[in-house]
Structure formats: C-alpha cells, structure tokens
C-alpha cells in the first residue's frame, strides 16, 4: 500500500482509469473543486476513462447532463456505467412476462425497467391481485411512502415467491459533512432481514460493473487488468470490488473515508487499497 501519493503520479502507470462518482468527482456540495483539471489531464494524457457509479436513479444520459450542468465538461454518456444499467440487463433477460413491481421514482423506473413489460409502483398494488407480478425491484430511496410501501413490499414478497432485485446496493449516502441518508440497498437489507431472504444485488462491489466496463473499453483498445486503476472513496464497494476483479485500487478522502479513521477501517475490514491519495485533484 502506497500512501499520500499524488493521483497524477499514480495515474501515469495506467492506461485506463475507473472513477467512482459520489465522493470522488462530486459530493453533497457539488463538484469536487479542481476536478475539471483532472479530467482534462487524463484526456490530454490519452487515458481511457469510465465512471462506475452505484446510482440507479438516473440514466447515463441524465448523469452526463447533470455533470455538465454542475460545470464539468466533456463526460460522455458512454463513459458512465451505472448499477441501474446492470439491473436493466438482468431484467431484459429474466423478467419476460407479468408485471414488475417497484419501489422508486418514475424516472428510475423508465430507465431500468423494460419498456415492453408492464410495471407498477408498489403503492398502486392491490395485495389481493398479485398473481401476475413476476419480480420486485428496489430502484431508489425516493418516490414512495416509506411506512406504507415498505410494509406492502414485505407482504408482497411473503405472498409471492418472485425474484427481488436491488438496483443500487449502497446502504447509505452522505447528505452533509457528517450526516447520511438511507439508500436503496439499506431498505432492501431491512426487507431481506425481515424475510430471511437474499435478494439479487447490483452495483459495486459485485463484479458485473467491472466486467462490463472491462469489456466496454476493450471494444476501443486493448486493455489488460493490470492497465486499469479503480478510484473510490468507499472500501466496501469501490476498493473491494476493484480488488476482487483484479485491478489496482486507489482510495481517496473526499467522500466516505476519513484520514483519521482509515487505518482502523482498513484493519477492521481487511480491504486494502493499493494506493491512498487525498483526492483526484492533487
Ligand atoms: Mg462513492
């Protein structure tokens, strides 16, 4: 493990850089100051770039537009890979008939669920009429009534033995310096523990996003795993996922992990990044 390295120096050794979004490129305040310089540097030095995000609430096109709106120029939708895309591909192959029930916003439903397959928000389900429901998808932490609709989801899954899919497995996301909100993965885990069931989780640390990004960049060039650096702020998702997939990993301190507790976090989790750097802007 190499500490306090400059991100620019580390990046020189790799042909492709995978960046987590929240906590690396932006945070609750907006863009991390100086990040445009980093993106420009990576472009100018010919690096291949992908954003790998456990965000299922927006499509890559919407995320690229949001980056642009926040002032970060030059990220293409094709460079943004989301856990929602992985859930969508699964549903295309696995949920071919019946109605798909979901918790989340209509926006997330429009992008993740199959356009040719009827879907229904849990709030609109009549629990006496659920025989045709073929899957349950946890899309987003917004867009529903937590009390009524989580209870309804528990009852739906008690009555129907159908696959339950979690489009973003993050448990929490930061909303201020020291405060977090419960994310979709946290809601799904609550329901899993009540029902003693394991759902199908998409997003880092699972390997689908890494495999997809790896295959995707190899359509445009030739990359081995040793050519790739995964950069993230979270040990349990970005760093564990990158380590398991076999690419180099760099932990930054602009999000979930603080320099004050990093040693404890690493020894308690056993998840060891190859590099630790303060941020991607130095
Ligand atoms: Mg993050």
């Amino acid at each position: 493990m190499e500490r306090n390295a400059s991100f620019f120096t580390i990046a020189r050794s790799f042909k492709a850089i995978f960046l987590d979004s929240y906590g690396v490129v932006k945070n609750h305040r907006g863009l991390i100051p100086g990040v445009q310089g980093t993106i420009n540097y990576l472009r100018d030095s010919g690096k291949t770039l992908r954003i790998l995000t456990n965000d299922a609430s927006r499509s890559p096109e919407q995320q690229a537009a949001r980056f642009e709106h926040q002032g970060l120029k030059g990220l293409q939708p094709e460079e943004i890979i989301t856990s929602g895309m992985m859930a969508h591909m699964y549903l295309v192959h696995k949920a071919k008939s019946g109605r798909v029930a979901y918790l989340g916003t209509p926006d997330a439903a429009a992008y993740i669920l199959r356009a040719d397959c009827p879907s229904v928000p849990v709030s609109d389900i009549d629990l006496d009429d659920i025989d045709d429901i073929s899957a349950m998808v946890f899309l987003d932490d917004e867009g529903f009534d937590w009390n009524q609709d989580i209870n309804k989801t528990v009852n739906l899954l008690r009555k129907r033995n159908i696959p339950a899919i979690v489009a973003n497995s993050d448990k929490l996301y930061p909303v201020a310096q020291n405060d977090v909100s419960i994310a979709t993965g946290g809601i799904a885990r609550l329901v899993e523990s009540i029902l003693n069931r394991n759902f199908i989780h998409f997003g880092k640390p699972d390997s689908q996003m890494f495999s997809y990004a790896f295959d995707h960049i190899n359509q445009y060039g030739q990359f081995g795993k040793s050519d790739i650096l995964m950069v993230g702020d979270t040990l349990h998702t970005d760093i564990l996922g990158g380590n398991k997939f076999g690419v180099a990993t760099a932990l930054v301190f602009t999000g979930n992990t603080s320099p004050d507790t990093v040693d404890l976090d690493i020894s308690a989790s056993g998840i060891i990044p190859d590099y630790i750097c303060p941020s991607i802007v130095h």
Side-chain angles (χ1 to χ4, degrees), residues 49-114:
L49 182 64
R50 292 293 181 275
I51 305 281
L52 270 64
T53 174
N54 280 6
D55 184 339
S57 63
R58 289 184 192 89
S59 69
E61 288 75 17
Q62 290 169 322
Q63 302 217 15
R66 200 172 168 89
F67 276 126
E68 181 102 23
H69 178 73
Q70 290 177 309
L72 184 61
K73 307 290 178 216
L75 277 179
Q76 304 305 316
E78 309 78 64
E79 294 176 308
I80 300 174
I81 295 167
T82 74
S83 60
M85 288 164 63
M86 306 300 110
H88 174 78
M89 286 189 276
Y90 175 89
L91 287 165
V92 166
H93 294 295
K94 293 283 197 177
K96 290 185 173 158
S97 61
R99 288 184 296 162
V100 173
Y102 69 89
L103 282 179
T105 61
D107 257 7
Y111 129 68
I112 293 169
L113 305 179
R114 289 169 60 115

Side-chain angles (χ1 to χ4, degrees), residues 139-185:
L139 290 171
D140 199 1
D141 56 285
E142 291 176 36
F144 58 91
D145 180 309
W146 281 47
N147 178 24
Q148 281 189 29
D149 295 338
I150 296 175
N151 276 315
K152 219 162 162 187
T153 302
V154 168
N155 282 298
L156 168 67
L157 291 171
R158 285 178 75 234
K159 292 178 183 188
R160 292 275 296 140
N161 191 14
I162 51 176
I165 291 120
V166 187
N168 166 2
S169 43
D170 284 5
K171 286 188 272 193
L172 302 167
Y173 61 96
V175 287
Q177 185 80 35
N178 294 308
D179 295 324
V180 296
S181 274
I182 301 172
T184 325

Side-chain angles (χ1 to χ4, degrees), residues 20-24 170 204 232-234 237-238 256:
D20 174 37
S21 174
Y22 211 81
V24 175
D170 284 5
K204 298 165 288 183
D233 67 312
T234 308
T237 55
D238 311 309
N256 274 332

Side-chain angles (χ1 to χ4, degrees), residues 10-277:
I10 301 167
R12 267 187 224 135
S13 310
F14 299 92
K15 285 165 63 182
I17 310 289
F18 293 174
L19 299 174
D20 174 37
S21 174
Y22 211 81
V24 175
V25 179
K26 57 176 157 182
N27 63 19
H28 59 275
R29 285 192 217 96
L31 291 180
I32 307 270
V35 79
Q36 181 76 61
T38 302
I39 301 295
N40 296 348
Y41 166 78
L42 296 174
R43 296 268 186 242
D44 292 345
S45 29
K47 309 293 181 195
T48 292
L49 182 64
R50 292 293 181 275
I51 305 281
L52 270 64
T53 174
N54 280 6
D55 184 339
S57 63
R58 289 184 192 89
S59 69
E61 288 75 17
Q62 290 169 322
Q63 302 217 15
R66 200 172 168 89
F67 276 126
E68 181 102 23
H69 178 73
Q70 290 177 309
L72 184 61
K73 307 290 178 216
L75 277 179
Q76 304 305 316
E78 309 78 64
E79 294 176 308
I80 300 174
I81 295 167
T82 74
S83 60
M85 288 164 63
M86 306 300 110
H88 174 78
M89 286 189 276
Y90 175 89
L91 287 165
V92 166
H93 294 295
K94 293 283 197 177
K96 290 185 173 158
S97 61
R99 288 184 296 162
V100 173
Y102 69 89
L103 282 179
T105 61
D107 257 7
Y111 129 68
I112 293 169
L113 305 179
R114 289 169 60 115
D116 58 344
C117 218
S119 60
V120 57
V122 165
S123 56
D124 289 357
I125 288 176
D126 172 359
L127 283 173
D128 293 323
D129 179 22
I130 52 174
D131 287 351
D132 66 332
I133 294 196
S134 59
M136 168 69 213
V137 190
F138 294 80
L139 290 171
D140 199 1
D141 56 285
E142 291 176 36
F144 58 91
D145 180 309
W146 281 47
N147 178 24
Q148 281 189 29
D149 295 338
I150 296 175
N151 276 315
K152 219 162 162 187
T153 302
V154 168
N155 282 298
L156 168 67
L157 291 171
R158 285 178 75 234
K159 292 178 183 188
R160 292 275 296 140
N161 191 14
I162 51 176
I165 291 120
V166 187
N168 166 2
S169 43
D170 284 5
K171 286 188 272 193
L172 302 167
Y173 61 96
V175 287
Q177 185 80 35
N178 294 308
D179 295 324
V180 296
S181 274
I182 301 172
T184 325
I187 300 166
R189 276 181 183 75
L190 167 73
V191 180
E192 282 179 305
S193 82
I194 292 166
L195 297 173
N196 283 320
R197 278 185 58 183
N198 290 317
F199 300 159
I200 304 160
H201 288 256
F202 289 91
K204 298 165 288 183
D206 284 341
S207 61
Q208 309 104 338
M209 277 172 78
F210 292 92
S211 299
Y212 181 90
F214 185 71
D215 292 346
H216 197 241
I217 62 173
N218 271 296
Q219 290 172 15
Y220 301 91
Q222 255 199 336
F223 299 87
K225 290 188 178 173
S226 61
D227 296 321
I228 300 167
L229 175 69
M230 172 71 209
V231 187
D233 67 312
T234 308
L235 286 169
H236 285 93
T237 55
D238 311 309
I239 306 302
L240 177 60
N243 284 353
K244 283 204 292 190
F245 190 67
V247 298
T249 49
L251 180 70
V252 293
F253 293 138
T254 40
N256 274 332
T257 308
S258 143
D260 302 335
T261 57
V262 67
D263 288 316
L264 191 61
D265 294 343
I266 288 175
S267 61
S269 64
I271 303 165
I272 306 168
D274 296 295
Y275 304 94
I276 299 180
C277 48

